[in-house]
Amino acid sequence: MNSVINPATEEVIAEFPMADVAEAEAAIDRSKKAQREWASLSLNERRDGMLAIAAVVDANLEELARLESSDVGKPISDARGEVAMVANCFRYYAGVVDKILGETIPVDGGVDMTFREPMGVVAVISPWNFPLPIASWNIAPALAAGNSVIVKPADITTLSTRRFGELVATLNLPANLVQVICGPGRVVGRVLTSHPGVAKVSFTGSTATGQDVMRSAADTMKRITLELGGKSANVVFADADLDLAIKSAPGAVFGNTGQDCCARSRILVERKAFDDFVSGFVAATESLKIGDPADPETHLGPLVSRDHHSKVSSFITDDAVLAGQAPDGPGFWMAPRVVVDPDLTSRVVTDEIFGPIAAIIPFDSEEEAIRLANDTIYGLSGSIWTTDLGRAFRVARAMESGTLSVNSNSSVRLQTPFGGFKQSGFGRELGLEAINGYTELKNVFINTQA
Ligand code: NAD
């Protein structure tokens, strides 16, 4: 039996049995049949099916948001925004169903064209920090391209994805088109990453598990997309609109209590602006409200679990400045901390913490900023703050990162590709680019000389 714990109260809020190997295998068999049925529907039927998923998410937004908030400890206002994004994600990809284009290629002796064919059964393995949004970023393009989907949410945060699966099952879609299967990653996840009936695995999670997924998928040559960890840099030049950069920076590292793969946890600040930035950043962080996730005014909830709380606690050092006050009593609470000018080899600078701890590091030149920003095994996201347009482009092109923003700390838009360089993974989610990850490219040559 799996017990679901509310991280803000430590109370058990749900219990359900976990799936085993046999159930995962049966789900794969059912999914194959559903895929054939789905791919044979007309384009309009597939589009309308996806619009129906968007509509059922919208109609149940409040319930899904409350489940996500109580399961993850996420502030309810964030959870509402995320569920609204899930519905928009299905609407966006509903519009893509009849725009998956091939090419005609000039060749001698005939006509040559490409087609993007569905892959078959897609397994979506999702993490606990943004359970339903991240699942939807993969489910929606997979469906748009004519695949069926099996989703395995993280063991500790299953509620929103399970409910989503129940809601989709009420719609007039092929049976088992989207199945949600809850079970331990090492058991059920492994079945999905190794079974010959699964064509593609979209994995979002830690780099260590991503490596295991790659190894497990190798025997059957599965297609894989890996969205992994990050240690993103927020690079602030002295010529930036400093007020704006300071106002935006705490949310960019402490949002979701730091449990964000795009967290700008290394803040690089030009020395001329360093002291002003640090004092402004600490003051802005102190104004964040930490507390009951069900309160719409709350900015930061607890960490997701006791285990994760102890992992993040291991990064707390004596020189960390406390910026805020966590509630007493039950719950896995942690107030934000700021480490100023740390040793560049310390864990707080090199490791993905996935909690509310930020390192602020000074630099003296553009070259040094680029070198520091790239001095990591990761390359997921990052920001550049400057009013010099030439510098913005130079630094953006030089940073080894898949998803950058200038004078902004945003990372995710439904319309634009999202994913990492280096050990942050490969493949891209979202935008039209995601469709390439859910289709096989087929080339057909027609001899016109025969
Ligand atoms: P995790 O790697 O522990 O688990 C992710 C998923 O994989 C879960 O569903 C888990 O049950 C499953 N799993 C575990 N072992 C498995 C195995 N051997 N085979 C198959 N599946 C297995 O990650 P997490 O702790 O849930 O999430 C936090 C991590 O996710 C962080 O490193 C974070 O950076 C990363 N993340 C990345 C992105 C991104 O888009 N790049 C987004 C969110 C989170």
Side-chain angles (χ1 to χ4, degrees):
M1 212 38 116
N2 188 32
S3 298
V4 179
I5 294 169
N6 180 333
T9 62
E10 300 184 42
E11 285 163 0
V12 175
I13 51 173
E15 286 197 305
F16 57 87
M18 297 283 248
D20 58 15
V21 170
E23 284 166 82
E25 288 173 345
I28 295 168
D29 285 343
R30 291 193 294 266
S31 197
K32 282 190 214 161
K33 183 166 177 290
Q35 193 269 324
R36 285 191 290 272
E37 218 181 308
W38 177 241
S40 71
L41 296 182
S42 72
L43 293 168
N44 282 353
E45 285 169 328
R46 281 197 349 231
R47 178 205 59 203
D48 290 349
M50 296 192 60
L51 290 173
I53 298 178
V56 83
V57 170
D58 271 339
N60 294 276
L61 185 147
E62 190 58 26
E63 183 193 357
L64 289 165
R66 285 184 187 280
L67 287 173
E68 198 84 301
S69 172
S70 59
D71 199 358
V72 182
K74 194 183 282 291
I76 187 68
S77 48
D78 291 356
R80 287 184 181 127
E82 289 171 22
V83 177
M85 186 199 202
V86 170
N88 281 330
C89 185
F90 283 95
R91 263 189 289 274
Y92 173 79
Y93 283 106
V96 173
V97 166
D98 56 3
K99 299 170 193 71
I100 300 177
L101 306 180
E103 291 181 305
T104 54
I105 303 171
V107 291
D108 291 325
V111 174
D112 196 282
M113 63 191 91
T114 61
F115 295 88
R116 291 213 159 263
E117 306 286 12
M119 288 177 157
V121 175
V122 170
V124 173
I125 302 180
S126 49
W128 48 255
N129 57 341
F130 295 97
L132 198 51
I134 288 178
S136 75
W137 302 351
N138 294 291
I139 301 167
L143 293 182
N147 304 285
S148 58
V149 177
I150 302 173
V151 194
K152 197 209 85 61
D155 326 356
I156 55 170
T157 56
T158 50
L159 296 186
S160 62
T161 315
R162 279 165 62 90
R163 182 68 186 129
F164 170 83
E166 288 168 5
L167 291 168
V168 172
T170 65
L171 303 174
N172 185 22
L173 295 168
N176 304 306
L177 179 64
V178 177
Q179 296 177 82
V180 176
I181 176 159
C182 299
R186 285 178 187 285
V187 181
V188 167
R190 278 266 173 78
V191 175
L192 296 175
T193 57
S194 61
H195 193 288
V198 173
K200 155 97 190 203
V201 176
S202 293
F203 172 81
T204 308
S206 64
T207 294
T209 312
Q211 288 161 346
D212 192 62
V213 168
M214 256 180 115
R215 277 188 285 268
S216 171
D219 284 346
T220 48
M221 214 54 87
K222 285 190 205 325
R223 281 58 177 138
I224 49 178
T225 298
L226 298 176
E227 293 291 349
L228 308 175
K231 187 72 186 175
S232 296
N234 188 358
V235 184
V236 182
F237 288 95
D239 66 20
D241 178 338
L242 218 54
D243 287 345
L244 203 59
I246 289 170
K247 215 171 111 201
S248 175
V253 54
F254 300 132
N256 213 36
T257 318
Q259 303 164 119
D260 184 339
C261 50
C262 294
R264 272 79 166 151
S265 53
R266 292 182 304 143
I267 308 175
L268 312 179
V269 184
E270 192 167 357
R271 202 175 300 273
K272 278 182 270 181
F274 193 77
D275 292 342
D276 287 348
F277 185 94
V278 170
S279 54
F281 179 83
V282 171
T285 302
E286 280 168 344
S287 73
L288 296 176
K289 185 168 177 214
I290 310 168
D292 181 6
D295 178 348
E297 304 296 315
T298 293
H299 297 112
L300 303 185
L303 291 168
V304 73
S305 68
R306 180 176 299 285
D307 281 356
H308 191 59
H309 188 277
S310 57
K311 185 187 151 214
V312 176
S313 300
S314 76
F315 285 90
I316 297 175
T317 47
D318 292 344
D319 55 349
V321 178
L322 189 64
Q325 183 66 47
D328 293 330
F332 312 124
W333 301 99
M334 186 177 286
R337 285 175 171 78
V338 186
V339 185
V340 180
D341 198 2
D343 179 338
L344 295 180
T345 62
S346 59
R347 285 171 71 224
V348 77
V349 177
T350 59
D351 291 15
E352 181 183 47
I353 301 171
F354 232 54
I357 304 177
I360 312 188
I361 301 162
F363 67 83
D364 289 301
S365 67
E366 192 177 304
E367 293 68 29
E368 188 185 12
I370 293 167
R371 186 173 53 72
L372 290 172
N374 290 340
D375 188 17
T376 168
I377 60 167
Y378 298 110
L380 185 58
S381 196
S383 295
I384 301 145
W385 293 82
T386 177
T387 49
D388 177 337
L389 193 58
R391 164 173 279 166
F393 275 108
R394 279 194 305 276
V395 178
R397 295 300 301 272
M399 277 175 71
E400 295 162 355
S401 181
T403 318
L404 289 167
S405 44
V406 174
N407 297 330
S408 157
N409 282 315
S410 69
S411 297
V412 173
R413 286 157 294 273
L414 294 176
Q415 303 81 358
T416 61
F418 174 75
F421 280 25
K422 304 196 280 190
Q423 291 187 40
S424 288
F426 52 79
R428 291 293 178 269
E429 293 174 340
L430 300 176
L432 297 179
E433 182 64 30
I435 295 296
N436 294 339
Y438 290 106
T439 49
E440 292 284 6
L441 188 61
K442 181 185 285 174
N443 189 78
V444 177
F445 170 76
I446 300 168
N447 181 356
T448 54
Q449 315 290 304

